[in-house]
Amino acid sequence: MNPARMAVLARVAPFATYLALLVIESAVSAWMPEWDTRWFYPLKTLLVGGMLAAFWRQYSELHEFRFCLYYLVLSVAFGLSVFALWVGIDAPWAMLSGESKGYDPRVDGQIDWVLAGIRLAGAALVVPLMEELFWRSLVMRWIDQENFLARHPAAISLRAVLISSVVFGFEHQLWLAGILAGLAYAWLYRYTRHLSYAIIAHGVTNGMLGAWVLATGQWRYW
């Protein structure tokens, strides 16, 4: 496979696998409700995490990371801000139809910390890496230029930012919060010129959301 196609595959395959497992999980839950489909999440985390590791050499933008304390603080601030938006913008009109049941890690009324720990780790570590590589590294730059690797982050157009962020938003139940999150991570990528800071911000958002869900029992946010 030529390098250009391999670069696309490395960013699409983990994301597509994650979506495919979501569809399978939903089908199994509908056809065999007695099955505990919560264990699909560890499967998704391990499989997608393994794919990201296998494709690691393809993620050239992550190999060029340069630490900057200011950018790190900015990323954490963005991540916390998106978390606040996520739990604050929950009006019915800002959600897709049908309320999500979320991920409830309780067994006999008590939190199963194996399930909860894997869910938290997957959401804070694996999902941000997978989604930022797909949405920001690939999709957003590809909108501007088919040879997306040649598109410098600082040169990404407003059109590409808006389109990719809107589609990213409608991937989530809370579509408005999702769009705002997409805009925040896209801006951070353009401003810092390093995808790693968008991944850090995304990870902070998901990590804080997971901790908040476990503390409050608001499982629908998971």
Side-chain angles (χ1 to χ4, degrees):
M1 184 178 295
N2 67 52
R5 290 184 179 180
M6 180 59 76
V8 172
L9 177 65
R11 289 158 179 78
V12 170
F15 184 77
T17 298
Y18 190 89
L19 291 185
L21 287 172
L22 278 177
V23 172
I24 293 171
E25 177 184 353
S26 179
V28 170
S29 180
W31 296 338
M32 293 176 282
E34 70 279 6
W35 278 40
D36 188 353
T37 54
R38 292 177 299 179
W39 288 100
F40 268 86
Y41 197 86
L43 174 62
K44 285 184 287 189
T45 300
L46 290 172
L47 186 54
V48 172
M51 294 178 73
L52 291 168
F55 284 123
W56 188 256
R57 293 180 62 185
Q58 296 295 322
Y59 306 138
S60 56
E61 61 268 66
L62 300 182
H63 304 162
E64 300 165 358
F65 176 73
R66 296 292 183 272
F67 177 78
C68 172
L69 180 59
Y70 169 67
Y71 287 165
L72 178 61
V73 172
L74 191 65
S75 301
V76 172
F78 267 62
L80 293 174
S81 298
V82 173
F83 159 68
L85 287 171
W86 207 271
V87 298
I89 304 177
D90 60 353
W93 61 267
M95 299 181 184
L96 298 180
S97 60
E99 184 173 339
S100 172
K101 295 180 179 179
Y103 186 92
D104 185 345
R106 292 175 299 175
V107 175
D108 297 328
Q110 300 296 318
I111 293 175
D112 183 322
W113 287 104
V114 173
L115 285 171
I118 295 173
R119 180 68 175 85
L120 183 59
L125 301 175
V126 176
V127 169
L129 179 58
M130 172 194 72
E131 289 198 320
E132 293 307 311
L133 283 166
F134 179 76
W135 288 110
R136 254 59 69 181
S137 175
L138 172 61
V139 174
M140 189 165 67
R141 290 193 289 175
W142 180 85
I143 290 170
D144 279 339
Q145 186 172 339
E146 185 174 352
N147 179 16
F148 71 96
L149 289 175
R151 190 69 171 181
H152 193 277
I156 294 170
S157 69
L158 178 60
R159 169 176 167 270
V161 168
L162 291 175
I163 292 174
S164 62
S165 297
V166 168
V167 179
F168 173 79
F170 280 96
E171 178 199 7
H172 299 85
Q173 177 76 8
L174 297 171
W175 62 266
L176 179 56
I179 291 174
L180 295 175
L183 291 171
Y185 303 146
W187 182 89
L188 196 60
Y189 180 35
R190 291 180 77 244
Y191 180 72
T192 65
R193 298 173 170 82
H194 290 288
L195 187 69
S196 299
Y197 292 107
I199 294 170
I200 290 169
H202 199 154
V204 169
T205 298
N206 288 8
M208 284 298 300
L209 182 63
W212 181 81
V213 166
L214 288 171
T216 63
Q218 299 288 328
W219 311 116
R220 66 192 179 94
Y221 286 91
W222 240 9

